Amino acid sequence: METLSENAAFGGVQGVYKHASDVCNCDMTFGLFLPQEAKDGPVPVLWYLSGLTCTHENAMTKAGAQVWAAEHGIALVFPDTSPRGAGVADDEAYDLGQGAGFYVNATQDPWAPHFRMWDYVAEELPRVIDAAFAIDPERQAITGHSMGGHGALTLAMGLPGRYRSVSAFAPIANPSASDWGRKQLTAYLGADEAAWAPHDATLMMRTGGFDGPILIDQGANDQFLDLLRPEALAGAIAAQRQEASFRMQKGYDHSYFFVSSFMEDHVAFHADALWR
């Protein structure tokens, strides 16, 4: 693993690191914030999954999460959103290919050799981090924005017992019924919609839900509301009688101004579960 940068931040360290990924068959870069408590031993960790077009850097520099993570003594992990490089398949569209991994394991060409973001986030990157940093693997939580909110919710429900809590900012909530989803799930997983179900938070909520608390914030002025389909997930949460808070935030859009406005709430929400 190569250290690309390390900067003091809020008493801790914000680092950026690169490593060779066996899962994605390319080099991958991630951000990691460690609070000062990590000097004395393992700390809980909150995973932040970013959205379409983003890298590890967007949330790391725009979300304002480090100040609240430092306050609660929690580490933050900022993975990239896809494999990258000259030999990695891509598409001219912003919502497919590099920067748009959708947190699935692709089974279709030309994506299958590299696009295995589910395994990367769920298995490989945790092993890399656990081996090198003071992280407590028994105390994990996950959050994300947009495509990353989709990833956070599906990983949390798809890996029972892994995460103590899950939250999302404006998640792609029902991708199998949206143009932000049908296109990508067909490209990565094929036309059989049965293969899509484990990657649709609304469908997963209807069939099982999450064994823990959920917090979702959605901007009421989000320019992508029709693509996100929050009403489908809200209905599934109600039908499942899931422990959850789903908040429509008046006046807010899809931007990082929205994310940073409610980041304090989300970190505190996860801290309550992680330190319990």
Side-chain angles (χ1 to χ4, degrees):
M1 187 168 60
E2 178 184 354
T3 300
L4 300 182
S5 64
E6 288 184 333
N7 298 95
F10 303 104
V13 176
Q14 175 62 64
V16 178
Y17 308 94
K18 182 170 71 173
H19 71 107
S21 168
D22 293 331
V23 166
C24 294
N25 194 25
C26 64
D27 286 344
M28 295 291 288
T29 301
F30 67 93
L32 173 66
F33 172 74
L34 289 174
Q36 62 181 353
E37 288 85 350
K39 297 175 182 177
D40 300 319
V43 295
V45 59
L46 174 60
W47 293 77
Y48 184 101
L49 306 186
S50 289
L52 288 168
T53 75
C54 292
T55 70
H56 69 281
E57 188 175 18
N58 294 72
M60 189 181 79
T61 59
K62 295 180 180 179
Q66 291 90 339
V67 62
W68 310 118
E71 182 176 297
H72 293 284
I74 294 171
L76 298 168
V77 182
F78 303 99
D80 202 347
T81 57
S82 78
R84 298 181 191 271
V88 177
D90 201 7
D91 192 272
E92 292 183 358
Y94 75 94
D95 58 355
L96 187 67
Q98 295 186 37
F102 258 75
Y103 304 101
V104 303
N105 289 337
T107 59
Q108 307 299 303
D109 291 332
W111 314 106
H114 298 281
F115 281 72
R116 301 188 62 81
M117 289 301 294
W118 178 282
D119 282 354
Y120 179 69
V121 173
E123 303 298 337
E124 186 178 40
L125 187 54
R127 289 197 299 267
V128 169
I129 291 174
D130 290 348
F133 301 99
I135 298 297
D136 184 352
E138 299 301 317
R139 291 183 291 170
Q140 299 189 62
I142 192 165
T143 187
H145 173 230
S146 194
M147 180 185 73
H150 140 80
L153 290 165
T154 56
L155 281 158
M157 287 187 276
L159 298 170
R162 171 71 64 88
Y163 307 103
R164 295 192 181 186
S165 53
V166 59
S167 72
F169 301 86
I172 300 175
N174 189 198
S176 64
S178 167
D179 287 343
W180 266 2
R182 295 189 63 83
K183 169 185 175 179
Q184 295 84 358
L185 294 175
T186 300
Y188 295 141
L189 302 178
D192 182 3
E193 295 190 18
W196 305 357
H199 302 286
D200 186 308
T202 294
L203 301 182
M204 297 177 78
M205 180 60 64
R206 289 173 183 167
T207 58
F210 175 63
D211 187 19
I214 297 175
L215 172 62
I216 297 173
D217 276 312
Q218 172 63 62
N221 284 21
D222 194 314
Q223 59 270 47
F224 303 114
L225 271 177
D226 290 343
L227 295 168
L228 301 172
R229 292 182 54 80
E231 68 283 355
L233 180 57
I237 287 172
Q240 189 61 243
R241 299 179 181 177
Q242 169 72 46
E243 177 187 3
S245 178
F246 197 117
R247 311 189 302 190
M248 291 295 292
Q249 300 291 1
K250 184 177 180 180
Y252 286 89
D253 59 15
H254 198 72
S255 70
Y256 265 95
F257 295 109
F258 157 66
V259 173
S260 60
S261 294
F262 299 101
M263 182 56 69
E264 179 182 7
D265 291 354
H266 283 244
V267 175
F269 164 79
H270 290 295
D272 182 65
L274 290 167
W275 286 113
R276 188 177 302 165

